[in-house]
Amino acid sequence: MRILILGAGKMGTFFADALSFQHEVGLYDVDPKKLRFVYNTERMTQLDEVKAFEPELLINAATVKYTIEAFKAVMPYIPDNCIISDIASVKTGLPEFYAEMKRPFVSTHPMFGPTFASLSDLSTQNAIIISESDHLGKVFFKDFYNTLRLNTFEYSFKEHDETIAYSLSIPFASTLVFASVMKYQEAPGTTFKRHMDIARGLLSEDDFLLSEILFNPYTPGQVEKIQEELSKLLEIIRNKDSKGMADYLTKVRSNIQSK
């Protein structure tokens, strides 16, 4: 299959590499410097090159801020029967866009990022495929994600946004609060250093991506839960409530037990 990938960022180049040995892959980016170390892939910087490539599948890996803009720029240069797809972690505006385009589409979300995941072993990582997607597109990505040993789940657009509010917004908000009260430590403990590594990794991400994930309409309810739990914990600490602390730790341990 001829597959065109938009955007030579971390995920775009990862997808190009992973797909290039079984498919004819083209990678398009307006910045030629980002294409310097791409191999086994046709590199493109002009939309006329996209037209000549005649992709059968388009994977939009542009930064979430530019996902729809990138779609609109390339749409006149791809065949009418080309399946269009995105891997965006934020789906805001995409259901409406796909409905307007009236093309076959598939929307997925690989639930890992190059910052934290080991790309050489993704067996512990997950991917979501949007249930409203077209059948052939879903079959392609299910097969592809299986080859990566990802655990694949099928959610609707609404279910995806609810899941992201829980699985991303909670750790993002918690990490931002942790980092916001930090001060330099000459002899940090192991737990502190691990939290700092997570914070540095999170804050290396694109500001727009962080904002959009936290602006998810389902996020406020999750952040309110964090506030409620902090209030409970603060009360226990202030009162030096040993029994309350024991009960709280028991509850927390039960929450993190593997199902």
Side-chain angles (χ1 to χ4, degrees):
M1 178 182 285
R2 285 189 308 281
I3 301 173
L4 175 68
I5 299 171
L6 298 182
K10 294 176 182 178
M11 290 303 289
T13 52
F14 169 75
F15 268 71
D17 180 48
L19 290 165
S20 64
F21 290 98
Q22 293 185 354
H23 301 277
E24 186 180 349
V25 176
L27 182 58
Y28 171 83
D29 199 290
V30 293
D31 184 358
K33 293 180 180 179
K34 292 184 177 180
L35 299 168
R36 286 179 297 175
F37 304 110
V38 175
Y39 66 98
N40 203 35
T41 297
E42 187 171 339
R43 293 173 285 188
M44 307 176 193
T45 57
Q46 303 294 326
L47 289 171
D48 286 341
E49 296 173 291
V50 170
K51 185 174 183 179
F53 186 67
E54 295 185 333
E56 299 166 87
L57 171 66
L58 169 68
I59 300 176
N60 190 340
T63 304
V64 65
K65 182 178 181 179
Y66 301 109
T67 300
I68 293 178
E69 183 180 322
F71 266 137
K72 289 180 177 178
V74 77
M75 209 62 67
Y77 297 89
I78 62 174
D80 292 338
N81 61 350
C82 177
I83 300 172
I84 58 176
S85 72
D86 75 271
I87 56 171
S89 54
V90 177
K91 303 298 184 185
T92 304
L94 284 168
E96 296 79 8
F97 173 79
Y98 286 132
E100 181 184 346
M101 289 298 99
K102 297 179 180 179
R103 281 175 172 264
F105 78 91
V106 55
S107 184
T108 78
H109 181 187
M111 298 282 287
F112 63 90
T115 301
F116 295 117
S118 171
L119 299 183
S120 61
D121 180 12
L122 296 172
S123 59
T124 62
Q125 304 298 322
N126 304 313
I128 292 174
I129 298 176
I130 300 301
S131 58
E132 291 95 329
S133 303
D134 287 272
H135 176 71
L136 290 178
K138 287 195 286 189
V139 169
F140 174 86
F141 275 96
K142 282 180 182 177
D143 289 344
F144 173 53
Y145 288 152
N146 282 338
T147 65
L148 297 177
R149 300 174 64 201
L150 288 165
N151 304 293
T152 307
F153 302 88
E154 191 167 317
Y155 293 164
S156 67
F157 276 116
K158 181 176 182 291
E159 289 169 335
H160 170 271
D161 289 348
E162 291 173 339
T163 299
I164 295 308
Y166 178 78
S167 65
L168 291 185
S169 295
I170 287 180
F172 279 23
S174 300
T175 301
L176 288 174
V177 171
F178 166 81
S180 71
V181 297
M182 282 303 94
K183 61 180 181 179
Y184 175 71
Q185 298 285 323
E186 289 186 348
T190 301
T191 302
F192 181 94
K193 288 192 290 185
R194 287 181 178 177
H195 278 284
M196 281 299 292
D197 287 342
I198 293 173
R200 290 190 180 102
L202 177 68
L203 291 167
S204 70
E205 299 287 356
D206 179 73
D207 285 1
F208 185 85
L209 173 63
L210 298 178
S211 299
E212 285 301 294
I213 287 174
L214 291 171
F215 291 164
N216 183 320
Y218 299 99
T219 294
Q222 301 297 339
V223 175
E224 286 168 4
K225 290 179 181 178
I226 296 174
Q227 288 180 312
E228 291 171 6
E229 291 302 317
L230 281 173
S231 296
K232 292 177 186 177
L233 183 59
L234 180 58
E235 184 177 358
I236 291 170
I237 293 170
R238 279 178 172 165
N239 295 330
K240 295 183 172 59
D241 182 356
S242 298
K243 184 181 183 305
M245 179 61 77
D247 291 342
Y248 194 84
L249 293 175
T250 298
K251 182 188 78 169
V252 172
R253 287 192 177 100
S254 69
N255 285 348
I256 64 174
Q257 287 178 350
S258 300
K259 300 298 182 181

